[in-house]
Amino acid sequence: MPEANNWNDKTITEFRANGGRVGGNFEGAPVALVHHRGRKSGREYVNPVMYLPDDADNEAIYVFATKGGAPSNPDWYRNLTAAGQGTVERGRETYPVTVRELQGDERDRIYDEQARRYPGFADYAKRTAGIRTIPVLELNRSSRRSLNTPDEESEMTYDNEAIVRHAYHTAEGSVLDVAGFVGSFANDGVINLGHAGIEPSGVGQESYRGEQLGELVLRIAKLFPDVHRELHRVNVLGDTVAVELSIQGTFLGPLETPAGIVQPTGAKVDGPCADFWYLRDGKIEMFDCYIMLDTMRAQMGVT
């Protein structure tokens, strides 16, 4: 599985760097990144998949749970069908989708068309014959009309939790997609970094905008190359998302302080943190992050 995860991460990074285009086995094929949440863990996962566009409806695409012709269905299929919804990155767009599994003749017609365009899918079907029928899912862009003004144009709904989880994912040490992280923010988006858990007179706050957003992510990754945010609780209230989490990693990079540079100790950190995200129209306008700095300093061996 680590090999597959590494391949996924490389494909995801290439996809986001090139506006949805990738090379290798996917070169020239339509590819989307499908976000799905674990049925038990609640964690967000992202899988690159080939899709078939609906020629009559640009809001719908079809994806195929081939798992390379393996005898079992992939986890992303089980997670999407259990939730009935997910999020898709297609080109430079990220949007929420509803999930519908095709059955019978409709399923066969769509799968056969994909196999006609890409013969590898016919091979997958041969490998799974008599074991399982490869599922086909329709992912349809979610939208709604305002209940107060039904004659107005459709208003797009956004899965704010998925957008926030995506931002966390791009800042993981194993991914470090700086462009993807910055792209989650509005043009005038801001990060306010607060220091909680220290003496009241020492509480400080720094603000970051524009290119500084990416610089902050890189700065943290330099300190903790394996940085991981473990999300414990996510609460969504409209365009506000509050997250209780821990910042985990290994102190392997030099820390610049007013008193000088502190050399890394190799210590493991697991610092509590509270984040508040404020979004509008699918973009992050403000991100307030409160770190228990005294706890992290003690774990790092910094006095």
Side-chain angles (χ1 to χ4, degrees):
M1 286 305 294
E3 240 180 77
N5 290 339
N6 187 50
W7 180 85
N8 274 355
D9 289 341
K10 288 181 178 178
T11 303
I12 290 167
T13 299
E14 184 180 6
F15 178 102
R16 291 172 175 160
N18 296 291
R21 296 184 300 276
V22 297
N25 294 336
F26 282 155
E27 187 166 9
V31 175
L33 302 185
V34 176
H35 297 238
H36 54 102
R37 253 191 289 165
R39 304 179 303 288
K40 296 179 180 178
S41 68
R43 292 185 62 178
E44 185 193 46
Y45 301 91
V46 182
N47 283 80
V49 298
M50 285 178 60
Y51 69 86
L52 176 70
D54 187 321
D55 294 333
D57 183 1
N58 192 47
E59 304 300 315
I61 62 174
Y62 302 100
V63 295
F64 308 86
T66 63
K67 202 178 179 180
S72 60
N73 290 323
D75 287 338
W76 62 258
Y77 159 76
R78 292 193 288 268
N79 290 340
L80 284 175
T81 52
Q85 61 183 358
T87 303
V88 163
E89 292 181 56
R90 186 178 170 195
R92 297 190 182 278
E93 275 194 288
T94 301
Y95 57 88
V97 293
T98 56
V99 178
R100 181 175 72 93
E101 184 167 358
L102 307 189
Q103 304 291 343
D105 292 343
E106 183 184 22
R107 179 261 168 211
D108 295 344
R109 176 176 59 81
I110 295 299
Y111 194 92
D112 289 348
E113 177 59 23
Q114 181 72 350
R116 184 188 69 78
R117 299 186 189 190
Y118 302 97
F121 285 79
D123 182 55
Y124 299 146
K126 288 179 182 177
R127 294 187 204 176
T128 57
I131 302 172
R132 69 181 177 102
T133 299
I134 295 174
V136 178
L137 301 182
E138 179 188 73
L139 305 183
N140 207 349
R141 187 193 293 260
S142 299
S143 61
R144 69 182 178 189
R145 287 189 179 276
S146 168
L147 296 177
N148 295 325
T149 54
D151 293 330
E152 290 181 356
E153 293 184 359
S154 294
E155 295 181 1
M156 185 62 61
T157 62
Y158 296 93
D159 187 340
N160 287 331
E161 180 175 345
I163 293 168
V164 167
R165 287 181 179 273
H166 169 65
Y168 281 121
H169 176 76
T170 58
E172 291 284 90
S174 60
V175 178
L176 205 60
D177 177 12
V178 176
F181 179 80
V182 175
S184 300
F185 284 76
N187 291 335
D188 57 350
V190 59
I191 294 177
N192 297 314
L193 184 61
H195 301 156
I198 57 179
E199 293 298 324
S201 61
V203 173
Q205 182 163 294
E206 305 166 74
S207 294
Y208 300 82
R209 292 179 171 81
E211 293 181 358
Q212 295 175 334
L213 302 177
E215 292 169 1
L216 177 60
V217 171
L218 289 172
R219 192 174 84 184
I220 294 172
K222 185 177 180 181
L223 284 175
F224 312 108
D226 59 347
V227 64
H228 167 63
R229 283 94 176 161
E230 185 68 25
L231 309 188
H232 303 305
R233 185 176 301 173
V234 179
N235 297 295
V236 182
L237 182 60
D239 286 339
T240 301
V241 180
V243 183
E244 176 187 334
L245 70 152
S246 297
I247 297 180
Q248 303 170 348
T250 310
F251 180 27
L252 296 176
L255 172 66
E256 295 182 13
T257 73
I261 295 177
V262 177
Q263 294 302 319
T265 62
K268 298 287 186 181
V269 300
D270 189 353
C273 186
D275 290 345
F276 299 88
W277 304 77
Y278 304 92
L279 301 94
R280 184 188 295 264
D281 296 334
K283 291 291 186 179
I284 301 162
E285 290 193 325
M286 185 165 64
F287 167 31
D288 290 343
C289 174
Y290 297 94
I291 303 171
M292 296 295 288
L293 194 59
D294 59 344
T295 301
M296 292 191 70
R297 281 177 174 169
Q299 293 173 346
M300 293 163 67
V302 178
T303 57

